[in-house]
Amino acid sequence: MPGPWPGLRRALLGLWAALSLGILGLSAVAQEPFWADLQPRVALVERGGSLWLNCSTNCPRPERGGLETSLRRNGTQRGLRWLARQLVDIREPETQPVCFFRCARRTLQARGLIRTFQRPDRVELVPLPPWQPVGENFTLSCKVPGAGPRGSLTLTLMRGAQELIRRSFAGEPPRARGAVLTATVLARREDHEANFSCRAELDLRPHGLGLFENSSAPRQLRTFTLSQDPPRLAAPRVLEVGVEEPVSCALDGLFPASEAQVYLALGDQRLSPDVTFEGDALTATAIVTARVEEAGIRQLVCVVTLAGESLETQENVTVYSFPEPLLTLSEPIAPEGTTVTVTCNAGPQALVTLDGVPGLAVGQPAQLQFNATEYDDRRGFFCHATLEVDGDTFSKNQSAELRVLYAPRLDDSDCPSLWTWPEGPEQTLRCEARGNPAPSVHCARSDGGAVLALGLLGPVTRALSGNYRCTAVNVQGKAVKNVMLMVEYAPALDSVGCPERITWLEGSEASLSCVAHGVPPPAVSCVRLDENSILEGLVRVAREHAGTYRCEAINPRGSAAKTVVITVEYGPRFEELSCPSNWTWVEGSGRLFSCEVEGKPEPSLECVGSGGASEGLLLPLASSVLTPRASSVPRALAPGIYVCNATNKHGSAVKMVAVSAESPPQMDESTCPSNQTWLEGAEAAALACASRGHPSPRVRCSKEGTPRPEKQRVTRKDAGTYRCVATNAHGTDARTITVGVEYRPVVAELAASPSGGVRPGGNFTLTCRAEAWPPAQISWRAPPGAPNIGLSSNNSTLSVAGALGSHGGEYECAATNAHGRHARRITVRVAGPWLWVAIGGAAGGAALLAAGAGLAFYVQSTACKKGEYNVQEAESSGEAVCLNGAGGGAGGGPGGDGGLDAAGEAEAPAGGEVFAIQLTSA
């Protein structure tokens, strides 16, 4: 019975559907993806800068929201679903602000990242040492405090504009700040006064910012090199008070030398040196004068300072005082016979001697006491004082002269007993006397005749010759002397006193003394004409003294001249340039050993073998003076040691000469055969061509003027004419070589004539042509039992007259020479008309086979027509040979009695028929 249930059911179903849709709608609303966003999500801000952050959400009605950060805030702006806040004075290297909203009982968050960067405003290069030794390492250290992030930093150490070290800090933690770059650098000379700096680069271009660069202030490096050796002092060991002496101080191995300072002092006395520089060396020179108060041992100090380091040298100098000695005479002018006392005195440390007589002790005077005589007039007295200082002895001298009054003396020196005056011209005649005071002198003839006018100009004649009495007078007395007057004459040179030719011996002592006659005695000098040099006194004779001299004698009356030739003789002597110790004889050259020996007279020379193959043999010489035994020249020369002996009247000399023998190239039939044979296909080899000679000749061969190309194998093209040339230091030799190339035989052609079929009773000829060198021997192999076979004289042709059935079969032509054998075969078939009767009788029984065989026959005959089968090589395997099929039809026609198989090509008879096909096997 129907009731309300159907309608209620429908209402409930509708309500369920509506509730389902509502629940699904609410679920959809609840599951919508709400989010919070923070912009910028990642930011890079300069340290101390500011940044606006925008925090937003897509929640329709967020309950609350905010921005959490530890950074300082300056201002905030808000909206329903957003919040903007300014952050200022951002200094932390890295911070992570958090944006959050509360939506539908859920918290939405967005986390950001703020990093700071700091420009490389401070780039510091650690100060360099004031001086750095060359060759030692120093440290370059660059600091960039605070700059970062470090991963974007690159530091570069610079020498001037040159990069020394560049380092990137990529990969460092983002929070890392500041960087230090340290490097060890070897100091060099060229680094002196070089500027070093550090460059910092902060590259923020990958983050959308720029490249920030900065460099440190340059720092200058000063390098130096200081010698390990002390300065070298050059100064006297002893120094006299008041005497100027030079001193010097030198030092090498300085760099830079111009920067060095020199301190030079003697005791407390600082010197002012003049410093000069040359390269890496300096020299300081000064003049030192010792003072009296500095007497004694003083230190001479030289200090060279460079780069705060000093090298010092000290030497002891002994300063001494040594005054001049004092010489006194008790009577400076004393009459003859008076007692005179002479005294020599010096300082307290000096030892004095007076004319060789020493003082009693050091510091004591020396005295002489004597009676004055005429010989003491103008007598000089010598006072010698010595002082020993630091092992050295120094001396000083003083002199004085004594005047003695005495009566006149007429000495031969002032008034000779023999006067020689030139005749003719006017002369002043003099006769002087000794005496103090000076005496007056007059001379008169002993017989009371004429008086000579002494001191007056007058003519000298022979009448004045004679004996005179000269008298000298002064207040102390008088002196008388007899003199004789003679007349002068000009000099003369004769062969006795001055010979025209003089011979000297080298090494002896001699003098060129030409004695001239004349009054007064002439002065003689000899001058070499080609050098204008004077030869005087005793000399050690040398070869350069030989030559022509002009000797001239001169006196007041005139001169005389003469030419003198001096010859210097000397013993033999060998020189390496003119007589070498090593000589090479070249066979056939005709050259002889040239050995020139110095000596005068010219030495005789002989060289005799000593030991070995040369024992007792004479070495042929090119010298002009030979011993009788050395006159012949042998055709061959034995190498070895030869003793050369040169002799003249002044001695002999010996020299050892090592002789070696060499020869030019020589080729003949035994070493280089004129005809040579190669084998085709063999490995290519050089011509068998050698040469005798020493040193070993080099042999080169070329074909018709061109070098032979490099080949692996010999070909027939290698045959021809070659020219081989042997060369060494002594010449060349050449030979012409004919090369023949031999090769293995090849049967190039095997043909049958006639080329068609052979009928019984017919004739045919087989021709065999072979290529070979040396020429091949031809041989044939015929079918067994074949009669009446004829061969030509050289076996190249085989002929058959009246062919029989036994002549049919396989013929082989073989070519043979020393290098191998080659054969080819040809098949001859002899057949008549009876063959067709047999074929016709069997045609019925073979009808079915004919159809299949016809196709094969067609294929085979077609191949024969095209010439696809060749004459078989002796080495080949079984092949199909076409008989008489080169032009015949597929079925063949009557009239063909026989056939020949040759050259792989079917030779067709005139009828153009094909007889048969035969399979043959080699």
Side-chain angles (χ1 to χ4, degrees):
M1 152 176 149
W5 296 107
L8 179 60
R9 184 176 297 171
R10 286 193 294 271
L12 290 175
L13 289 173
L15 179 60
W16 179 83
L19 289 175
S20 298
L21 291 175
I23 292 172
L24 289 174
L26 290 175
S27 175
V29 171
Q31 292 180 1
E32 182 179 349
F34 297 126
W35 43 256
D37 184 32
L38 180 64
Q39 293 295 331
R41 182 66 59 91
V42 177
L44 186 64
V45 182
E46 186 170 4
R47 187 173 185 272
S50 61
L51 176 69
W52 278 94
L53 290 180
N54 188 4
C55 177
S56 61
T57 181
N58 65 343
C59 180
R61 302 185 63 83
E63 300 176 10
R64 60 186 179 90
L67 181 66
E68 293 183 353
T69 178
S70 60
L71 301 177
R72 287 178 55 195
R73 291 163 287 189
N74 187 31
T76 303
Q77 298 179 6
R78 289 181 178 273
L80 177 61
R81 290 183 296 175
W82 61 273
L83 168 68
R85 181 166 292 164
Q86 185 183 27
L87 307 179
V88 297
D89 194 21
I90 303 174
R91 294 183 176 276
E92 294 185 14
E94 182 177 291
T95 183
Q96 294 183 354
V98 178
C99 167
F100 68 92
F101 286 95
R102 184 73 177 173
C103 179
R105 298 182 182 181
R106 292 176 57 233
T107 299
L108 307 178
Q109 288 186 351
R111 188 178 298 274
L113 177 62
I114 301 176
R115 289 175 175 158
T116 60
F117 73 90
Q118 182 172 342
R119 306 186 189 204
D121 296 327
R122 290 174 54 200
V123 181
E124 301 175 357
L125 184 65
V126 175
L128 301 177
W131 286 94
Q132 176 64 33
V134 171
E136 295 185 11
N137 291 326
F138 66 97
T139 301
L140 288 176
S141 182
C142 176
K143 298 180 180 180
V144 186
R150 187 184 301 163
S152 299
L153 269 177
T154 298
L155 299 185
T156 305
L157 294 174
M158 310 284 292
R159 180 194 287 115
Q162 176 190 3
E163 289 188 2
L164 293 178
I165 295 176
R166 181 181 179 89
R167 181 184 173 187
S168 171
F169 293 88
E172 293 283 335
R175 301 179 63 87
R177 294 293 185 270
V180 176
L181 176 59
T182 302
T184 299
V185 181
L186 182 67
R188 306 172 303 169
R189 286 172 64 108
E190 51 266 34
D191 292 334
H192 181 61
E193 296 185 345
N195 288 324
F196 290 81
S197 61
C198 176
R199 185 176 69 218
E201 300 174 4
L202 181 64
D203 191 1
L204 300 179
R205 289 177 292 187
H207 304 288
L209 299 176
L211 174 67
F212 302 97
E213 296 180 297
N214 195 12
S215 296
S216 69
R219 296 190 183 274
Q220 190 180 72
L221 179 68
R222 302 172 73 191
T223 62
F224 74 97
T225 299
L226 189 61
S227 172
Q228 299 299 316
D229 300 324
R232 302 184 302 276
L233 265 176
R237 293 189 305 105
V238 294
L239 186 63
E240 185 178 357
V241 172
V243 178
E244 293 183 349
E245 292 286 353
V247 295
S248 67
C249 178
L251 183 60
D252 300 331
L254 288 174
F255 174 80
S258 59
E259 300 277 348
Q261 303 294 323
V262 181
Y263 171 80
L264 195 59
L266 176 64
D268 297 333
Q269 181 187 170
R270 180 167 183 173
L271 307 180
S272 299
D274 181 16
V275 183
T276 58
F277 305 96
E278 183 176 354
D280 291 347
L282 66 77
T283 302
T285 57
I287 299 298
V288 59
T289 304
R291 301 186 292 263
V292 174
E293 59 271 18
E294 293 176 330
I297 296 177
R298 295 289 181 267
Q299 279 192 340
L300 181 64
V301 180
C302 176
V303 181
V304 179
T305 303
L306 177 63
E309 298 187 18
S310 298
L311 294 175
E312 179 177 339
T313 297
Q314 297 182 358
E315 287 190 5
N316 290 334
V317 177
T318 302
V319 180
Y320 68 96
S321 178
F322 189 17
E324 295 287 339
L326 181 62
L327 179 62
T328 59
L329 283 75
S330 60
E331 295 284 343
I333 301 175
E336 187 176 13
T338 304
T339 299
V340 177
T341 301
V342 183
T343 304
C344 173
N345 198 3
Q349 302 297 324
L351 177 65
V352 297
T353 58
L354 179 59
D355 285 351
V357 178
L360 297 178
V362 174
Q364 297 296 316
Q367 284 187 343
L368 286 177
Q369 193 174 55
F370 59 91
N371 291 327
T373 65
E374 60 173 300
Y375 301 107
D376 295 323
D377 184 37
R378 296 189 178 277
R379 176 181 175 183
F381 295 93
F382 187 75
C383 176
H384 178 69
T386 59
L387 179 66
E388 185 173 343
V389 180
D390 196 19
D392 292 335
T393 301
F394 300 92
S395 63
K396 291 189 176 182
N397 304 311
Q398 190 65 269
S399 62
E401 185 180 71
L402 173 67
R403 295 308 308 271
V404 177
L405 301 176
Y406 61 95
R409 305 288 195 273
L410 288 171
D411 299 327
D412 287 342
S413 59
D414 299 321
C415 187
S417 300
L418 177 62
W419 288 350
T420 303
W421 288 344
E423 182 180 18
E426 292 184 342
Q427 299 289 336
T428 299
L429 306 180
R430 298 185 181 279
C431 177
E432 296 178 350
R434 289 189 303 108
N436 193 17
S440 61
V441 181
H442 72 282
C443 297
R445 283 186 180 273
S446 301
D447 55 4
V451 176
L452 293 177
L454 299 177
L456 299 177
L457 184 63
V460 176
T461 64
R462 295 182 183 180
L464 294 177
S465 298
N467 295 320
Y468 290 83
R469 182 180 178 84
C470 295
T471 303
V473 178
N474 70 2
V475 295
Q476 298 294 324
K478 70 175 183 178
V480 177
K481 185 175 185 179
N482 294 323
V483 298
M484 183 178 69
L485 178 61
M486 297 182 67
V487 178
E488 292 181 345
Y489 58 91
L493 291 170
D494 56 25
S495 298
V496 176
C498 189
E500 291 80 3
R501 292 189 175 274
I502 301 175
T503 300
W504 289 348
L505 178 60
E506 182 184 32
S508 63
E509 291 185 346
S511 63
L512 180 54
S513 57
C514 272
V515 179
H517 302 286
V519 177
V524 182
S525 63
C526 296
V527 179
R528 184 166 180 165
L529 295 181
D530 56 350
E531 296 181 358
N532 199 27
S533 59
I534 299 176
L535 187 61
E536 293 180 328
L538 192 64
V539 298
R540 177 73 63 179
V541 177
R543 299 181 196 180
E544 54 267 22
H545 291 136
T548 302
Y549 294 79
R550 184 177 185 272
C551 294
E552 186 176 17
I554 301 175
N555 72 1
R557 292 298 297 159
S559 64
K562 189 174 187 178
T563 299
V564 178
V565 176
I566 294 180
T567 301
V568 176
E569 295 186 349
Y570 46 90
R573 184 167 64 185
F574 290 97
E575 295 291 343
E576 184 64 24
L577 288 178
S578 58
C579 187
S581 300
N582 294 278
W583 180 67
T584 300
W585 175 73
V586 180
E587 180 182 353
S589 65
R591 290 195 305 113
L592 299 179
F593 179 55
S594 177
C595 181
E596 296 181 4
V597 186
E598 295 183 359
K600 203 162 191 177
E602 187 173 359
S604 61
L605 177 64
E606 182 179 70
C607 296
V608 181
S610 174
S614 63
E615 177 70 33
L617 298 180
L618 289 178
L619 180 64
L621 301 174
S623 304
S624 58
V625 179
L626 304 173
T627 64
R629 292 203 305 157
S631 59
S632 60
V633 179
R635 297 179 61 185
L637 185 65
I641 303 299
Y642 289 79
V643 179
C644 294
N645 188 10
T647 306
N648 67 6
K649 67 179 182 179
H650 298 300
S652 62
V654 176
K655 181 168 187 174
M656 309 294 286
V657 177
V659 177
S660 59
E662 296 185 357
S663 59
Q666 184 179 6
M667 295 189 294
D668 54 23
E669 191 66 24
S670 63
T671 62
C672 187
S674 57
N675 291 282
Q676 299 187 28
T677 301
W678 292 344
L679 177 61
E680 181 183 34
E683 290 187 2
L687 283 169
C689 195
S691 174
R692 289 187 292 271
H694 185 71
S696 297
R698 182 179 183 180
V699 181
R700 288 179 177 269
C701 298
S702 61
K703 181 181 180 182
E704 298 175 350
T706 60
R708 181 187 174 204
E710 294 293 333
K711 294 183 178 181
Q712 297 297 325
R713 298 289 178 179
V714 175
T715 67
R716 300 179 194 181
K717 293 181 180 180
D718 292 330
T721 301
Y722 289 78
R723 177 179 171 81
C724 293
V725 179
T727 305
N728 69 3
H730 304 300
T732 61
D733 192 14
R735 279 183 67 82
T736 299
I737 312 300
T738 301
V739 175
V741 176
E742 297 185 353
Y743 45 91
R744 298 176 180 85
V746 174
V747 177
E749 180 183 3
L750 180 59
S753 176
S755 58
V758 180
R759 300 175 182 274
N763 301 332
F764 69 89
T765 301
L766 301 181
T767 301
C768 181
R769 183 176 61 82
E771 295 180 357
W773 192 262
Q777 299 293 325
I778 304 297
S779 62
W780 292 88
R781 182 173 59 82
N788 301 326
I789 294 177
L791 298 175
S792 62
S793 60
N794 60 357
N795 286 359
S796 62
T797 302
L798 181 149
S799 59
V800 173
L804 301 175
S806 59
H807 287 112
E810 185 178 79
Y811 289 80
E812 179 183 274
C813 173
T816 306
N817 70 0
H819 302 299
R821 178 180 182 275
H822 185 256
R824 297 184 72 171
R825 297 171 184 168
I826 188 169
T827 301
V828 176
R829 177 68 67 184
V830 179
W834 55 267
L835 178 61
W836 302 107
V837 177
I839 294 175
L848 294 176
L849 294 176
L855 178 60
F857 173 79
Y858 172 76
V859 174
Q860 181 68 25
S861 63
T862 302
C864 289
K865 292 175 185 178
K866 294 180 180 179
E868 296 177 358
Y869 295 97
N870 300 324
V871 175
Q872 302 170 44
E873 301 289 346
E875 296 84 5
S876 64
S877 61
E879 295 181 1
V881 177
C882 178
L883 300 178
N884 206 23
D897 294 336
L900 300 174
D901 297 334
E905 299 177 356
E907 302 292 342
E913 300 179 8
V914 177
F915 298 78
I917 295 176
Q918 177 182 354
L919 295 179
T920 64
S921 176

